[in-house]
Amino acid sequence: MASEDEGPKVRPPENVNITVLRARNLRGSKGDNLNSLVRVEYNNQSLGESPKVESTAEYAAEYNYNARFECTFDDPLTLDEIAYKPVMVTVIEVLPKEKKQKEEKTLLLGQSTVDLLPLLRGENRYKSTLVVHPLPGSPLETAPPDQAKVELDVVVFVNEPLLSEEQLKEVNLLTVSVETLYSPPEAWNPTGAPFIYNVTLPVPITADRETTVVATNGIIKAGTDKDLPSRQKKWCVPGNAQGGAIYIPDSFVPTTNFDEEDGDFTSKEDREFRNEAEMEKTRVTWNIERRCFMDPAAVQSFQNKIAQTRVWPVEIMRTPVPTATKGKGKSEDETPIFYHGVAYVNLAPLLYPGVKKIRGAYKVMAFSDHEVFEKTKRKGGLAEEAIRVATAMNRNASPFAKGGKAPKEEKGGKEKEKDAAKKVQPSSMLKPTSDAGSETDVTPPQNLEGMQYVEAKSYLMLEITLQRPLVPKRPPEVLAKRVAELIPPRPLFARRTNGAERAVEDFHSQVASVGNLVLEEFRSLFADQLIQGDLPSGSEPSDERRRKLLYELNTSGKYFAFKEQLKHSVVKIVREKYLKTTTFTDKEELHTFLSELNVFLIDQMHVGLGKVLSLEDETPVPPPLTDSAQLKHFAREAEVNENFEVASKYYQERIARNRNDGDHWFDYGTFCMLINDISKAEECFKETVSINQSHVNGLLLYGIVCAMEERNSVAETFFEMATNVEPNCTLAWTLLGLFYDGIENDIQAEFAFLEANKRNVANAAAKVKSAMPEETEKENVVEGGDAEPEREKVVKTPATPSESGKSHRSGKDKPGSVASAHKKKLSVSSKSAPDGGTRKQSAQSNRPTSQPAEGSQQGTPFEEEIPPREPTPVPETSIFMIAVDFLLEVKAMNFCERALAHELLSPTGGPSAAYYVALARLKLQKKELEEANDNLQEALVLNHQDPDAWAITGHLRYLEGDIGEAKSCYERTLSFVADAREMHSIYLRLASIYLQENKFEDAKNTFLLACKKSPSCVSWLGVGIACYRLGELGEAEDALSEANILNNTDSEVWGYLSLVCLKTNRQLEAEQAYKYALKVGLQDEGLLGEIHEIQEAVGFGNPQF
């Protein structure tokens, strides 16, 4: 007994109340005046009928009838049925009795279906106004189009919500929409014998149970039988509904672009095939929506299954129409299955953060138990169970007898219901068993009929939607808050001082102000003497002037004005510094305090006046001759020459000039990455983000540093934040994918790479659009303008289409065209990637079946009117190479290796010349010279005219000491039409080689090329050295002066300036230059020896002589 009491408590059943309030605009067989009643049904059971009510054209039929059914909570099937089974309300006219008539005759007018889904979303009461759809033979069927539609007001309510707030956060609702099978096997004939077309798939409803979702009664249509542009979805289990009542209110098949689909046949090459299949070929249409309620355990099971296998089996089959038999026969279990196929739907996108829907065309394969097990780890299929479910659904869908009330229960009816309910019970989840290996060894039988799906390239349009994403995506505000917690933002302005410090500062400012006023009085009082300059000096004239000034201040009242000006600041000092806010009771204490205050005020008066006088006497600081960009250039130049101390000095100077510029900290952080000072790099990137919380590159680099230190949760936050700051940044999405790949989160990595590819293509499309001539744009506008009226006309379609009515026939849409002259590729560099571009608009804005052209004739496809399709922009640079370029610049070698590996394995990548050049750059950074040389040789084999490959080969030879080969590579690089990535270092090293070979004229010209493009101290020093060796002392001095302006701490510049001055007999300047050269640390023994020789020859230049 104790164990029973401790078990989980099951909530008692809850009554679901359906109140039919009234019906408006009713019309009977005898006119507007009629007696009517309503019948309410749910789950193939009648919940009751209302009393008959009179109504006229002016007065609505007030039923106010309440029906109810119990919702139990001991079985998840009950909530699942509420999700996909509607409440059906039938409006029935009661005809007046005729003579000798015992019972009243009735006539079915129309039906409406009430959706109970809001109850599963936490609502406990809602009202719906529904359209009453006429039934066959009803007088409503012949109503004129301009007549007001019959409407029904229904209220659904429960006393307590079916799901609590906590449950709503844990449960989920899966919606499966089975739309159309396109390009079916050629043997399928719309005019042949009728068949039943079924689609089925398993959906978990608990941790260990699955329900079989079946979409049955697909309608086969010929290619000439066009669909309506607004296709409304049907109830999966309509029950006794007929006509327009089988459609779900306000639920339509969406129209999407090919580019936005998730399934197969999404490439540009498949467009023509899909247009033909969807416009001209036979198809099977369901347009059925099935909702599945999943409790928390089912959600977790569903998520785990997707993570394990990724694909989900969706089976499709054709069965013959069962013959009518009396009673319960055995044919149900022996129904043959033809054309058994399966579509493997990739549900992995549902595990992407924030993704709630997938929709696409999924190709149908021949069903094979062996293949299904290999791909989904499931034993067997669902075909037999699906047929039993479909048979039960079709049996229960038989309508009531026309014109009568609910018929009497047939014999054996209860047994049939029990049997049907038993057969639609969910199956236990199919799991691989221990003897699965022995079964897989057996050669599976060949499915010849199923192979026809493959031959015909059949595909099934399918949509799967979740109410809440399986993997929630952190909103931007949450990410921003988390980043601010990890790296607090730096305040924009200096913190205001308060209290005693602020009071003293105010006193200083007031003293300075009063001092300026007194000085102005003095100047005006003795203006004549000051102008003539004969102001007498000495103690007596000074005392006389002081007395005269004090007399003037007292008689004019300005003395008291100055005292009042100082009074407020003195009061603040008393209150804030000395904390005196009350009157003194002891006179001695008062005198002591006043004495102390007087001493303090006099001291602070001198401090305040000293600040003013020191500022006036201070020599103004001249503005710097170099800006931030030049300092960065000098630092990068020092990096190339491996002079890291000088490079660090330049980076620190940039920060000292402006500590509030995040880019300065970022560049210094990348330099610290190069010298492998990770801790200092982390601090620099922290400063970058604290200054600017939206600095994308700073967020990315801080995430990389955290990933290197295995702080993965923090790294993920910063990578995600970067994608939120710039959603169209290809680089941010790629690095996020590389991070997930590093922690072996394959699904998240796949999602990030997909997003990066979308952005890359969108950026390329934006480039193409911006490069298009105005004439082409005008042509596209004119062609696109014709589609707008059609789109406006298409919207005005009936709310509820009829499958048995007249089909809407149309031709193909006209996609926009672009001149063929603009098919060239675009390269997207890493610098332009973060800027992002607008999302690429597809050439076909809507599905062809969803946007028919007006006025097209039945079965006449207008292929000749289709203009050429807009070429797809193909970025010349892949997302991984964009990441590689960025990572090489910021010296993030681990991530760079990962990106290069992905580029090598990418379908659009591979071992290209750019790949080998990037790999060689990485090896050079890691000082692996032999491997770098091998990669460069591979790059030159693939592209012998790649300037970057020759330039890096020259750098490699230069580092190895092979000066001759390095010079040859550099000269070849300069001979190409296209420049290499980094020309400055090429000019400097080639010119230095010319200096070593005494080719001073070539060295001078090469150094001048470097000065022309990007002048620096090193380049002007080279010009000066070459000119000095050529004997052009004037030009040498000018060049050395330019170098000295850019960097006045370079010892070589001072050394050569001393040589020039010695040659031109300028003793003082020669000595000064020599002293400065020694002061800044000239270490070049050869240059020092040359200076000493010339000093001895001319007899001056060295103060030690």
Side-chain angles (χ1 to χ4, degrees):
M1 295 295 292
S3 61
E4 292 180 2
D5 295 338
E6 294 174 359
K9 293 182 179 180
V10 179
R11 177 179 169 181
E14 182 74 30
N15 284 329
V16 179
N17 298 275
I18 301 99
T19 302
V20 183
L21 299 178
R22 66 188 63 84
R24 293 184 295 274
N25 307 320
L26 273 179
R27 180 182 177 87
S29 57
K30 304 296 184 180
D32 293 336
N33 299 330
L34 74 157
N35 292 331
S36 62
L37 57 87
V38 291
R39 178 192 299 135
V40 182
E41 303 169 53
Y42 174 71
N43 200 9
N44 299 316
Q45 294 181 356
S46 176
L47 303 182
E49 293 180 351
S50 71
K52 63 180 180 180
V53 175
E54 294 184 2
S55 65
T56 63
E58 293 80 15
Y59 299 98
E62 299 287 343
Y63 300 111
N64 292 321
Y65 174 70
N66 184 70
R68 65 173 60 89
F69 67 91
E70 281 191 348
C71 173
T72 59
F73 298 92
D74 56 348
D75 190 348
L77 275 179
T78 306
L79 294 176
D80 188 50
E81 288 176 347
I82 289 177
Y84 72 91
K85 289 185 178 180
V87 171
M88 190 177 69
V89 181
T90 306
V91 181
I92 304 173
E93 180 184 6
V94 181
L95 302 175
K97 282 186 180 181
E98 298 179 359
K99 293 181 180 181
K100 299 180 182 181
Q101 185 176 340
K102 295 181 180 181
E103 295 183 358
E104 294 175 335
K105 289 186 177 181
T106 58
L107 177 63
L108 301 181
L109 295 180
Q111 291 177 334
S112 296
T113 51
V114 183
D115 195 351
L116 301 179
L117 187 61
L119 295 178
L120 297 180
R121 291 176 174 165
E123 297 186 28
N124 58 357
R125 183 182 183 89
Y126 61 94
K127 181 181 178 181
S128 302
T129 299
L130 307 171
V131 175
V132 177
H133 301 283
L135 292 172
S138 167
L140 301 179
E141 197 175 22
T142 59
D146 56 347
Q147 184 177 341
K149 294 182 179 180
V150 181
E151 294 179 337
L152 200 66
D153 291 339
V154 180
V155 175
V156 179
F157 66 95
V158 290
N159 294 328
E160 295 292 335
L162 299 184
L163 298 172
S164 63
E165 292 292 335
E166 291 75 14
Q167 289 175 317
L168 286 173
K169 296 177 182 178
E170 297 176 350
V171 302
N172 213 328
L173 193 71
L174 177 73
T175 303
V176 180
S177 298
V178 181
E179 297 177 13
T180 306
L181 174 72
Y182 291 106
S183 187
E186 295 182 0
W188 292 14
N189 187 2
T191 59
F195 291 92
I196 296 178
Y197 300 91
N198 298 322
V199 173
T200 180
L201 70 155
V203 174
I205 57 171
T206 64
D208 54 355
R209 297 171 64 190
E210 289 183 340
T211 184
T212 303
V213 172
V214 180
T216 187
N217 296 328
I219 301 174
I220 187 168
K221 295 183 178 181
T224 56
D225 190 4
K226 303 301 178 184
D227 285 326
L228 288 170
S230 56
R231 296 175 291 167
Q232 195 166 3
K233 295 180 182 179
K234 304 175 189 175
W235 292 104
C236 181
V237 183
N240 297 327
Q242 301 181 64
I246 66 173
Y247 294 96
I248 304 174
D250 302 323
S251 181
F252 296 89
V253 175
T255 58
T256 57
N257 298 329
F258 287 111
D259 298 327
E260 298 173 358
E261 292 182 359
D262 299 287
D264 307 312
F265 301 113
T266 56
S267 64
K268 302 296 181 181
E269 292 75 16
D270 298 321
R271 293 289 178 85
E272 185 176 353
F273 162 70
R274 288 192 57 178
N275 285 335
E276 181 182 2
E278 296 175 18
M279 298 297 297
E280 301 175 9
K281 291 186 177 181
T282 303
R283 65 190 181 280
V284 180
T285 302
W286 287 271
N287 292 338
I288 287 176
E289 178 177 291
R290 169 65 153 89
R291 303 150 177 175
C292 306
F293 176 81
M294 295 193 295
D295 64 10
V299 174
Q300 188 61 44
S301 173
F302 186 54
Q303 187 170 345
N304 293 339
K305 279 286 184 181
I306 297 175
Q308 291 171 7
T309 62
R310 294 199 173 205
V311 295
W312 204 263
V314 178
E315 299 178 37
I316 183 170
M317 67 210 74
R318 187 174 85 167
T319 59
V321 177
T323 56
T325 57
K326 292 184 179 181
K328 185 177 179 181
K330 297 182 179 179
S331 59
E332 177 182 310
D333 297 330
E334 299 174 357
T335 302
I337 301 172
F338 301 109
Y339 292 95
H340 193 184
V342 61
Y344 297 103
V345 181
N346 182 17
L347 296 187
L350 292 179
L351 297 186
Y352 298 164
V355 173
K356 298 189 292 185
K357 182 180 77 172
I358 61 169
R359 183 175 188 273
Y362 297 92
K363 58 184 177 182
V364 182
M365 313 295 291
F367 183 87
S368 167
D369 288 333
H370 175 76
E371 188 178 9
V372 169
F373 179 80
E374 287 292 327
K375 291 188 176 182
T376 67
K377 304 304 179 186
R378 294 174 177 271
K379 273 184 66 176
L382 301 174
E384 295 180 358
E385 186 174 356
I387 291 174
R388 289 196 296 270
V389 173
T391 304
M393 289 165 54
N394 291 329
R395 183 193 306 118
N396 293 330
S398 58
F400 286 118
K402 183 178 179 181
K405 295 185 179 181
K408 295 181 180 180
E409 199 172 77
E410 297 179 3
K411 292 182 179 181
K414 290 185 178 179
E415 287 116 357
K416 285 185 178 181
E417 287 183 4
K418 290 181 181 178
D419 184 63
K422 181 179 179 182
K423 287 174 181 175
V424 298
Q425 287 289 327
S427 62
S428 61
M429 187 171 292
L430 299 174
K431 297 181 179 179
T433 57
S434 58
D435 59 346
S438 61
E439 292 190 10
T440 55
D441 294 337
V442 180
T443 304
Q446 194 171 9
N447 184 356
L448 297 179
E449 287 184 338
M451 292 299 295
Q452 295 186 35
Y453 288 116
V454 181
E455 296 171 359
K457 297 176 67 174
S458 305
Y459 61 92
L460 179 67
M461 287 301 300
L462 197 69
E463 179 181 285
I464 297 177
T465 309
L466 291 163
Q467 184 177 351
R468 295 185 301 106
L470 295 176
V471 180
K473 183 179 182 180
R474 288 187 285 185
E477 55 272 14
V478 174
L479 283 170
K481 182 179 179 181
R482 177 62 177 154
V483 169
E485 289 175 355
L486 294 169
I487 303 179
R490 181 184 292 182
L492 296 178
F493 303 101
R495 187 176 299 173
R496 295 183 61 183
T497 56
N498 294 314
E501 186 180 354
R502 177 65 182 274
V504 174
E505 289 180 358
D506 288 347
F507 180 72
H508 290 167
S509 63
Q510 293 298 328
V511 166
S513 176
V514 171
N516 286 327
L517 294 174
V518 173
L519 184 60
E520 290 296 328
E521 282 295 323
F522 180 84
R523 288 171 178 170
S524 63
L525 189 61
F526 303 102
D528 296 337
Q529 296 177 6
L530 290 172
I531 293 173
Q532 295 174 7
D534 56 355
L535 193 70
S537 59
S539 58
E540 292 184 4
S542 177
D543 291 339
E544 181 65 25
R545 288 194 296 269
R546 183 175 63 83
R547 286 193 296 270
K548 189 174 181 180
L549 176 62
L550 290 175
Y551 176 79
E552 182 65 26
L553 293 176
N554 280 300
T555 55
S556 63
K558 292 181 181 178
Y559 179 79
F560 298 99
F562 294 157
K563 283 176 61 177
E564 287 297 322
Q565 184 173 347
L566 290 171
K567 180 179 178 180
H568 180 68
S569 60
V570 173
V571 171
K572 285 179 65 177
I573 288 177
V574 173
R575 290 178 178 176
E576 299 293 340
K577 183 170 180 61
Y578 291 96
L579 304 178
K580 301 294 185 181
T581 57
T582 58
T583 57
F584 288 90
T585 57
D586 188 358
K587 289 186 178 181
E588 291 185 3
E589 184 182 357
L590 175 60
H591 287 302
T592 304
F593 171 72
L594 291 178
S595 177
E596 182 181 351
L597 177 63
N598 184 54
V599 172
F600 177 78
L601 292 178
I602 290 176
D603 290 340
Q604 293 302 319
M605 178 190 70
H606 290 299
V607 172
L609 291 175
K611 287 182 178 180
V612 177
L613 295 176
S614 64
L615 286 175
E616 290 180 354
D617 296 341
E618 190 174 285
T619 304
V621 179
L625 298 174
T626 54
D627 55 17
S628 176
Q630 284 180 302
L631 290 176
K632 181 180 178 180
H633 171 61
F634 300 161
R636 297 298 297 272
E637 182 183 72
E639 282 182 23
V640 173
N641 295 329
E642 297 186 356
N643 195 345
F644 298 133
E645 184 178 352
V646 175
S648 178
K649 185 196 73 171
Y650 282 125
Y651 283 124
Q652 291 173 5
E653 185 176 346
R654 294 180 76 214
I655 294 174
R657 290 189 182 182
N658 187 359
R659 298 182 62 86
N660 292 323
D661 192 327
D663 291 335
H664 295 175
W665 288 100
F666 176 80
D667 294 334
Y668 188 37
T670 60
F671 168 74
C672 294
M673 293 279 286
L674 175 64
I675 62 177
N676 203 26
D677 192 346
I678 304 300
S679 59
K680 187 177 288 187
E682 180 180 356
E683 291 300 320
C684 292
F685 298 138
K686 267 189 176 181
E687 290 291 335
T688 303
V689 178
S690 67
I691 293 170
N692 182 7
Q693 299 268 300
S694 300
H695 196 289
V696 176
N697 291 346
L699 293 168
L700 293 174
L701 263 295
Y702 189 77
I704 289 175
V705 170
C706 292
M708 292 169 61
E709 297 176 349
E710 297 185 355
R711 291 182 288 153
N712 293 328
S713 60
V714 178
E716 182 180 16
T717 299
F718 282 87
F719 283 125
E720 283 188 30
M721 184 61 184
T723 59
N724 276 279
V725 170
E726 285 196 18
N728 293 325
C729 179
T730 306
L731 176 65
W733 285 107
T734 307
L735 292 186
L736 178 62
L738 293 174
F739 163 73
Y740 282 130
D741 178 70
I743 61 175
E744 298 181 356
N745 191 337
D746 296 337
I747 292 180
Q748 298 279 49
E750 179 183 299
F751 165 68
F753 291 146
L754 285 174
E755 292 294 321
N757 277 310
K758 289 180 183 178
R759 270 62 177 184
N760 198 22
V761 174
N763 292 340
K767 296 272 187 181
V768 170
K769 188 174 181 180
S770 62
M772 286 170 56
E774 294 183 2
E775 293 80 4
T776 308
E777 290 185 357
K778 291 179 181 178
E779 292 176 5
N780 289 341
V781 170
V782 171
E783 292 176 6
D786 297 338
E788 291 299 327
E790 295 178 6
R791 203 171 289 122
E792 294 175 0
K793 294 177 184 177
V794 163
V795 173
K796 301 177 182 179
T797 54
T800 305
S802 175
E803 294 289 346
S804 59
K806 296 180 180 180
S807 61
H808 187 79
R809 298 172 174 88
S810 63
K812 295 184 179 179
D813 283 345
K814 296 180 180 180
S817 62
V818 175
S820 60
H822 304 285
K823 293 184 180 179
K824 61 181 181 180
K825 297 180 180 178
L826 286 174
S827 63
V828 182
S829 65
S830 61
K831 295 181 180 179
S832 62
D835 295 338
T838 56
R839 190 173 181 86
K840 183 175 75 65
Q841 299 295 326
S842 173
Q844 297 177 344
S845 60
N846 291 295
R847 296 298 305 269
T849 56
S850 303
Q851 299 293 336
E854 292 286 336
S856 60
Q857 297 181 1
Q858 178 176 351
T860 308
F862 292 91
E863 295 184 355
E864 66 279 7
E865 296 184 7
I866 299 178
R869 180 174 57 83
E870 179 181 352
T872 305
V874 180
E876 194 171 295
T877 305
S878 69
I879 60 172
F880 300 113
M881 290 307 296
I882 291 175
V884 165
D885 289 339
F886 173 78
L887 294 170
L888 285 172
E889 290 295 324
V890 300
K891 290 79 179 178
M893 301 180 191
N894 293 341
F895 270 67
C896 186
E897 288 179 340
R898 206 175 295 167
L900 285 169
H902 277 279
E903 172 67 16
L904 188 61
L905 300 175
S906 174
T908 59
S912 61
Y915 165 80
Y916 282 115
V917 169
L919 187 56
R921 292 175 62 195
L922 176 63
K923 296 301 181 181
L924 273 181
Q925 287 187 6
K926 299 174 70 174
K927 304 301 180 183
E928 298 175 359
L929 303 184
E930 292 185 5
E931 296 183 15
N933 182 61
D934 295 339
N935 294 320
L936 289 170
Q937 296 306 315
E938 293 288 343
L940 291 174
V941 169
L942 294 174
N943 184 4
H944 199 67
Q945 297 183 1
D946 190 339
D948 286 325
W950 284 108
I952 298 173
T953 304
H955 293 327
L956 180 63
R957 299 290 179 265
Y958 188 88
L959 295 175
E960 292 175 342
D962 191 349
I963 302 302
E965 188 65 27
K967 182 183 76 170
S968 175
C969 293
Y970 288 145
E971 289 175 342
R972 184 187 290 266
T973 303
L974 295 180
S975 66
F976 289 125
V977 176
D979 286 341
R981 182 188 304 271
E982 182 60 53
M983 295 298 296
H984 187 74
S985 59
I986 298 172
Y987 289 137
L988 294 184
R989 287 183 170 174
L990 179 60
S992 66
I993 293 173
Y994 286 148
L995 282 180
Q996 295 178 31
E997 296 178 348
N998 297 328
K999 297 180 179 180
F1000 302 123
E1001 189 67 36
D1002 292 339
K1004 173 186 173 182
N1005 294 332
T1006 308
F1007 275 125
L1008 284 173
L1009 287 175
C1011 294
K1012 182 179 180 181
K1013 291 197 173 184
S1014 48
S1016 67
C1017 174
V1018 176
S1019 60
W1020 280 116
L1021 172 62
V1023 175
I1025 294 173
C1027 292
Y1028 175 77
R1029 300 303 179 193
L1030 290 170
E1032 301 170 355
L1033 299 182
E1035 294 183 7
E1037 185 175 0
D1038 292 340
L1040 292 171
S1041 298
E1042 289 289 338
N1044 192 262
I1045 290 173
L1046 295 177
N1047 182 9
N1048 59 1
T1049 62
D1050 191 294
S1051 59
E1052 276 195 74
V1053 174
W1054 287 111
Y1056 277 100
L1057 277 173
S1058 178
L1059 285 176
V1060 171
C1061 293
L1062 290 172
K1063 289 280 189 179
T1064 54
N1065 296 320
R1066 289 180 287 173
Q1067 179 178 355
L1068 179 62
E1069 294 176 2
E1071 289 182 358
Q1072 291 289 343
Y1074 177 68
K1075 286 193 293 185
Y1076 274 115
L1078 296 179
K1079 184 177 180 179
V1080 295
L1082 180 59
Q1083 301 293 332
D1084 190 342
E1085 296 295 337
L1087 180 57
L1088 282 172
E1090 185 177 358
I1091 293 174
H1092 291 156
E1093 288 180 4
I1094 298 179
Q1095 287 174 345
E1096 293 177 358
V1098 297
F1100 61 86
N1102 191 340
Q1104 296 178 355
F1105 289 165

